[in-house]
Amino acid sequence: MIVVSNYKWLRISGYEFSHKSAMGQKIQRTTGVKLGKADGKFVKEKVDYAIGGIPPVGHNEPLETLLDNDLKNYDIIWAAAGTPFAVFQLKPADLEPLTKGKWIDLSEEI
C-alpha cells in the first residue's frame, strides 16, 4: 500500500487498508503522518510500478516504509516483484534491511 501525505511517501507492507479505517488511524496516531490513499495514476508516475506490483526494493528514490509486526508470524512471505502478476518469496527478517523499514504494530483489536 502506498499512501501520500503532503508530498511525503509512506509505504505500508502487510495489509490493504483505508486511511479512514482503525488501522489507518492507528498509523496516523503512531507516526503523526496524515494519510491519504494515492490513486493508480499518481503511483505509476511516482514509482513507475502499477498498484499491486510495487516491489519492496528497486525504487528510484527512497520510500519511508512501515512494516507490519504481524508479518513476523510467518516463516516465508511473498512480495510483489514489479507487476501485479509476479511475486517473490522472502523471510520477514529480510524486509528491514532491504527497505530500511520500521516495524510497527498495525493489528486491530477486535
Side-chain angles (χ1 to χ4, degrees):
M1 167 61 67
I2 301 282
V3 292
V4 65
S5 172
N6 300 331
Y7 306 101
K8 180 177 182 176
W9 283 90
L10 184 66
R11 178 182 43 215
I12 316 297
S13 294
Y15 298 98
E16 291 291 319
F17 67 95
S18 162
H19 63 284
K20 295 179 182 177
S21 70
M23 187 183 302
Q25 292 174 13
K26 187 173 191 177
I27 293 167
Q28 291 177 134
R29 281 193 312 275
T30 302
T31 65
V33 174
K34 183 174 169 142
L35 304 178
K37 188 171 181 180
D39 66 25
K41 180 180 177 190
F42 185 84
V43 171
K44 180 74 170 162
E45 288 174 0
K46 295 296 182 185
V47 296
D48 203 28
Y49 294 103
I51 290 177
I54 302 167
V57 295
H59 301 279
N60 292 332
E61 59 184 73
L63 298 177
E64 184 176 347
T65 303
L66 297 179
L67 305 167
D68 185 349
N69 276 336
D70 284 347
L71 294 173
K72 294 177 182 179
N73 293 328
Y74 302 95
D75 294 328
I76 298 293
I77 58 174
W78 296 87
T83 79
F85 309 105
V87 295
F88 69 98
Q89 86 176 31
L90 67 161
K91 295 177 182 174
D94 297 332
L95 281 174
E96 187 175 357
L98 285 173
T99 65
K100 297 180 178 44
K102 175 184 172 188
W103 291 101
I104 183 172
D105 177 17
L106 296 179
S107 61
E108 294 185 49
E109 294 184 21
I110 299 174

